[in-house]
Amino acid sequence: MSPTTPPELAAPPQSIRKVAIASLAGTALEWYDFFLYGTASALVFGPLFFPGASSLAGTLASFGTFAVGFAARPLGGIVFGHFGDRLGRKPMLVITLLIMGVATFLIGALPTYAQIGVWAPILLVLLRVLQGIAVGGEWGGGVLMITERAPDGRRGFYSAWSQVGINLGFIMSAGVFAAVQTMPEEAFMSWGWRIPFLLGAVPALVGLVIRLKIEETPEFQAVEDEGTKQRLPVLHALRTQPRSILIAAGARMAENGGSYIFLVFSLAYGKHIGVDSGLLLTGIIVANVVEGASMVGFGALSDRIGRRPVYMAGAATLVVFAFPFFWLVDTGTPALVWLAFIIALGIGHGAMIGTQPSFFTELFGKSSRYSAISLGHELASVFAGGLSPLIATALLAATDSYWPISLYLVLLGCITLVAVYFARETVQRDAPSAPAAAQRQPATTHK
């Protein structure tokens, strides 16, 4: 098991609360920018940047550029993981936020295909790559800023707050998009869709101020003091902890792939079957509010009963609910549509993502932890979240039915169940003494 935080490295509770709030705010502001692209891919990018195709074909092309951002995330994880292990967590979080803010603002200023032709989708893809690199380096650092401070027995609870920031980011982006969608259709498609992207510069600046005030984590400072920094932390992680990296990647398949089917593809699906996109966006926002509370509860529960049972319960919920989700959405009844998203996100996804920061942190040793956690997290994002809207749209175009998409969700859930089953429980129920904790090895040395 990875080292628990020795008493001398654990920050006092007030300091942890301060960092948790700062991490939540910074993460929310960065993911606001990232989620905007997914919503726009489902609703506007097809006709504006890929005209001349059918509605589903244009959406398919748009989701292709969406996937490109996920393909770039491992690169961001490798680069920022390397320097995060070498130079510290804080400077990487500042840089990633700057990159994200600039890229999002420029997307809002992009000319469309009608104005500059093929250069429009090319520039869109390049900016999406920058977004992917930024968010690929963001998650590991944002999580470690909390988990490397949290006391034993409360790590699941405190670290779950960093994930709440992701929900707030989506709520903000979906809320702004829902607001601009109330404009007349012509105005919205002409210039209204740009407003959420241009506003992305504001939260980026706010997040930058917040992150500049955060101190470096005690565990990174300990690595510096001990002289145990790795010259090439990414290679060290691959050489010493490959099994844990694969477990983390497998654990994300259901969480990441399922979430983007619910958050992004569902908008395109609703448009295809004639369900109002405003109703779907509202349902997603409500579900994210519910999940913001549930993931903290699941994180706290994982401190009591273990990471594995909570995480596996979330994956099992995804498997069981794969078909009922679409049954409820197909009704077009507001209460049932909301219920579909609340169960899928608030329970199934919430159990996994609320437990994920503490679970993944505890899988790895601290000298190359930023690199290792980023690799496991972002490798899965390419094959899960990045491809899931694209795969789901292709399946819908080929069959004109939801059932192959439900089977795809079942497959993702089963992959995660197998991965977490073969992981070792990482919770320390009886916290060892500081010297004993310091001698522990990463979880890769066990079953």
Side-chain angles (χ1 to χ4, degrees), residues 114-286:
Q115 295 168 311
I116 61 172
V118 72
W119 282 105
I122 291 174
L123 291 174
L124 183 66
V125 169
L126 290 176
L127 292 174
R128 181 59 177 173
V129 168
L130 287 179
Q131 281 193 324
I133 290 173
V135 82
E138 146 73 21
W139 189 85
V143 162
L144 294 179
M145 289 299 289
I146 298 180
T147 56
E148 292 188 337
R149 279 184 167 85
D152 292 328
R154 302 298 303 280
R155 183 178 286 133
F157 169 75
Y158 280 114
S159 64
W161 284 98
S162 66
Q163 304 293 67
V164 175
I166 298 176
N167 284 72
L168 289 178
F170 188 88
I171 290 169
M172 290 190 297
S173 66
V176 173
F177 240 100
V180 297
Q181 271 197 296
T182 61
M183 300 171 60
E185 178 72 11
E186 184 177 350
F188 172 69
M189 294 300 293
S190 175
W191 56 270
W193 68 270
R194 298 180 184 276
I195 295 175
F197 289 93
L198 296 175
L199 289 176
V202 177
L205 290 175
V206 174
L208 182 62
V209 172
I210 291 172
R211 286 187 168 175
L212 285 172
K213 295 181 179 180
I214 299 177
E215 298 176 356
E216 192 52 78
T217 72
E219 287 201 11
F220 175 76
Q221 292 172 348
V223 170
E224 283 195 313
D225 295 341
E226 296 163 1
T228 55
K229 284 185 182 180
Q230 301 298 322
R231 188 171 68 88
L232 295 172
V234 172
L235 294 181
H236 179 264
L238 289 170
R239 185 176 65 253
T240 61
Q241 304 170 87
R243 186 171 181 272
S244 286
I245 291 173
L246 290 175
I247 285 173
R252 288 210 73 213
M253 294 301 288
E255 176 270 310
N256 191 236
S259 69
Y260 281 98
I261 287 180
F262 301 136
L263 295 173
V264 176
F265 168 75
S266 64
L267 297 175
Y269 178 76
K271 185 177 180 180
H272 179 69
I273 65 173
V275 176
D276 180 61
S277 60
L279 169 61
L280 294 171
L281 276 172
T282 303
I284 291 172
I285 292 172
V286 170

Side-chain angles (χ1 to χ4, degrees), residues 336-427:
L336 295 180
V337 171
W338 287 19
L339 180 63
F341 285 109
I342 288 172
I343 294 175
L345 295 171
I347 299 177
H349 186 251
M352 291 184 283
I353 200 170
T355 310
Q356 194 176 97
S358 52
F359 182 31
F360 285 12
T361 296
E362 292 162 352
L363 284 174
F364 304 107
K366 61 187 177 183
S367 64
S368 58
R369 182 178 285 154
Y370 199 147
S371 297
I373 199 173
S374 296
L375 275 176
H377 190 269
E378 302 310 334
L379 283 175
S381 70
V382 177
F383 302 103
L387 291 180
S388 61
L390 186 65
I391 291 172
T393 304
L395 291 172
L396 181 62
T399 65
D400 196 32
S401 177
Y402 66 83
W403 67 264
I405 304 159
S406 295
L407 290 177
Y408 176 57
L409 284 170
V410 170
L411 174 63
L412 293 174
C414 290
I415 292 173
T416 289
L417 285 170
V418 171
V420 179
Y421 175 80
F422 284 104
R424 185 181 186 275
E425 181 55 65
T426 61
V427 170

Side-chain angles (χ1 to χ4, degrees), residues 58-77:
T59 302
L60 195 60
S62 181
F63 279 154
T65 67
F66 179 77
V68 167
F70 284 83
R73 284 174 63 167
L75 175 60

Side-chain angles (χ1 to χ4, degrees), residues 83-97:
F83 289 105
D85 282 324
R86 296 286 300 169
L87 304 178
R89 288 48 167 136
K90 175 181 173 178
M92 300 305 105
L93 292 177
V94 171
I95 294 171
T96 57
L97 189 58

